């Protein structure tokens, strides 16, 4: 009975939403120190290609490839983050956007390794590998009324959901730690933060590396969810998408990129009849948001207001229950 309500298409859309949430959080991390990086698509590509090559040519398990892809992106983030420390604002954005395009061109030109513009196929599929493992353990999805493709997409969705919840929990904890307070101080006033003894170089490179690592991690997951990647998946358009997730949802709080990625990934699927005009719609959204609400849909004050409303409502219910007693 449950299988009748499980649609693989909806689960796949949900999986892409969760991957985009990770990408949105990756740029939120760099923005939390005042750094506008547009290299997210490039780092995503590094993670995807590294994981794909490790699993295809070396036969490594998928989880090892994903970890390797994330670490490779993180190391590259450190290498790129150090020389770009003196750049700010639009200058940093231009340099990182150029870096992303250089990485994409390398994917196209290294045909013997990356498959060129055709891309890489035959990448081990995460869901199919899990299905193979559970079958070896004696479990058959048909025993619980699930088709193979339903089981595959269901497992992928719940695995990505657990990963996304953990990432949100981790960075929310970090925001309330010494690292998060240092990020906030650097974003508000870099010179004042340095005068207070905060190591500007360390924390800015840390934020850049964390954003790169998370983008590479999302890229590796993307490769093993689709089973095929090409340089077109990590083009300038992808970098713009990642930026819009944070700009639209709000870059001041972690829930902003989560909301932005969820809404903007779902919107083309709901409005498929105008999906060809997606980037025109995105451009209009940015213009409207910059004019009406430049901080994005969510900010600290709005979240506090919502929290206060729920708190008051809970107190009212608690008071009424006590009176009835």
């Amino acid at each position: 009975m449950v299988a009748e309500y499980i649609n693989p298409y909806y689960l796949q859309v949900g999986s892409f939403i969760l991957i985009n949430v990770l990408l949105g959080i990756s740029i939120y991390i760099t923005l939390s120190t005042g750094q506008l990086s547009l290299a997210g698509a490039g780092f995503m590509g590094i993670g995807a290609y590294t994981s794909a090559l490790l699993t295809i040519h070396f036969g490594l398990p998928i989880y090892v490839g994903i970890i390797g892809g994330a670490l490779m992106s993180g190391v590259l983030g450190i290498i790129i983050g150090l020389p770009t420390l003196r750049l700010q604002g639009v200058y940093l954005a231009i340099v990182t956007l150029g870096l992303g395009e250089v990485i994409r061109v390398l994917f196209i030109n290294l045909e013997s390794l990356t498959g060129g513009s055709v891309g890489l196929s035959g990448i081990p599929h995460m869901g199919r590998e899990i299905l193979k493992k559970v079958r070896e353990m004696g479990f058959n999805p048909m025993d619980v009324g699930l088709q193979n493709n339903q089981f595959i997409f269901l497992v992928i969705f719940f695995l990505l959901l657990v990963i996304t919840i953990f990432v949100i929990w981790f960075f929310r904890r970090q925001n309330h730690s010494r690292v998060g307070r240092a990020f906030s101080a650097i974003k508000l006033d870099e010179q004042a933060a340095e005068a207070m003894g905060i190591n500007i170089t360390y924390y800015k490179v840390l934020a850049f590396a964390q954003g790169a690592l998370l983008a590479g991690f999302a890229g590796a997951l993307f490769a093993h969810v689709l089973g095929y990647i090409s340089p077109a998946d990590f083009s300038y358009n992808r970098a713009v998408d990642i930026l819009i997730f944070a700009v639209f949802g709000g870059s001041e709080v972690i829930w902003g990129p989560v909301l932005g990625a969820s809404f903007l990934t779902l919107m083309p699927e709901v409005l498929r009849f105008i999906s060809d005009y997606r980037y025109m719609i995105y451009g209009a959204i940015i213009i409207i948001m910059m004019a009406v609400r430049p901080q994005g849909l969510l900010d600290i004050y709005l979240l506090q207001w919502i929290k206060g409303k729920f708190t008051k409502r809970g107190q009212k219910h608690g008071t009424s229950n006590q009176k009835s007693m």
Side-chain angles (χ1 to χ4, degrees):
M1 292 294 292
V2 179
E4 297 178 2
Y5 301 98
I6 297 177
N7 190 321
Y9 170 73
Y10 295 147
L11 291 172
Q12 188 173 37
V13 172
S15 299
F16 289 144
I17 288 174
L18 294 173
I19 291 174
N20 285 337
V21 166
L22 296 177
L23 292 170
I25 295 174
S26 72
I27 197 169
Y28 159 79
I29 299 166
T30 55
L31 286 172
S32 64
T33 57
Q35 301 180 94
L36 177 57
S37 171
L38 294 178
F43 292 132
M44 180 185 179
I46 290 292
Y49 272 93
T50 300
S51 182
L53 292 172
L54 288 175
T55 52
I56 292 174
H57 296 299
F58 296 95
L60 295 177
I62 291 177
Y63 68 90
V64 176
I66 292 174
I67 294 172
L71 291 177
M72 180 65 73
S73 297
V75 171
L76 182 62
I78 296 174
I79 295 172
I80 300 300
L82 285 170
T84 58
L85 282 175
R86 297 184 179 180
L87 300 176
Q88 293 181 350
V90 67
Y91 302 105
L92 178 61
I94 292 172
V95 169
T96 51
L97 179 62
L99 170 67
E101 285 298 295
V102 168
I103 293 173
R104 186 181 67 85
V105 171
L106 285 175
F107 292 153
I108 295 174
N109 292 330
L110 297 175
E111 295 185 14
S112 59
L113 185 64
T114 63
S117 57
V118 177
L120 283 176
S121 59
I123 302 172
H125 192 275
M126 188 187 306
R128 295 192 183 98
E129 291 296 320
I130 294 175
L131 176 61
K132 186 188 298 183
K133 293 293 183 182
V134 297
R135 277 183 168 175
E136 291 175 356
M137 296 168 61
F139 174 78
N140 190 341
M142 294 296 293
D143 296 338
V144 292
L146 291 175
Q147 300 292 331
N148 289 338
N149 62 335
Q150 290 177 321
F151 176 81
I152 287 171
F153 288 107
L154 189 63
V155 167
I156 290 175
F157 175 77
F158 278 110
L159 181 60
L160 292 177
L161 182 62
V162 171
I163 291 171
T164 303
I165 291 173
F166 173 78
V167 169
I168 294 172
W169 171 82
F170 175 83
F171 285 108
R172 285 196 69 212
R173 289 291 300 271
Q174 179 175 278
N175 287 341
H176 296 91
S177 68
R178 181 177 63 180
V179 175
R181 290 191 291 270
F183 285 177
S184 299
I186 293 171
K187 182 179 181 179
L188 290 173
D189 193 323
E190 187 173 321
Q191 293 179 346
E194 189 173 13
M196 289 189 298
I198 296 175
N199 190 334
I200 303 295
T201 301
Y202 171 77
Y203 285 108
K204 290 182 76 172
V205 173
L206 175 62
F208 208 92
Q210 284 185 336
L213 186 143
L214 186 56
F217 181 67
L221 291 172
F222 176 80
H224 292 289
V225 167
L226 276 185
Y228 167 79
I229 53 174
S230 71
D233 295 323
F234 316 106
S235 63
Y236 164 79
N237 292 336
R238 176 73 70 173
V240 172
D241 284 345
I242 298 172
L243 175 62
I244 294 176
F245 294 155
V247 172
F248 178 80
S251 60
E252 295 183 6
V253 292
I254 195 170
W255 299 112
V258 173
L259 174 63
S262 301
F263 179 81
L264 294 175
T265 306
L266 191 60
M267 185 176 66
E269 300 299 327
V270 175
L271 305 174
R272 273 183 116 31
F273 61 97
I274 57 171
S275 61
D276 293 337
Y277 305 99
R278 180 176 59 175
Y279 292 106
M280 294 176 62
I281 296 172
Y282 281 3
I285 288 173
I286 290 180
I287 294 172
I288 294 171
M289 291 296 296
M290 290 299 99
V292 178
R293 194 171 174 80
Q295 70 270 38
L297 288 177
L298 297 179
D299 61 4
I300 297 173
Y301 302 106
L302 180 59
L303 289 180
Q304 288 177 346
W305 179 81
I306 295 172
K307 185 178 179 180
K309 286 290 185 181
F310 279 103
T311 302
K312 289 179 180 178
R313 185 178 298 178
Q315 289 176 349
K316 288 180 179 179
H317 286 299
T319 306
S320 62
N321 289 337
Q322 288 177 0
K323 288 181 179 180
S324 63
M325 291 174 66

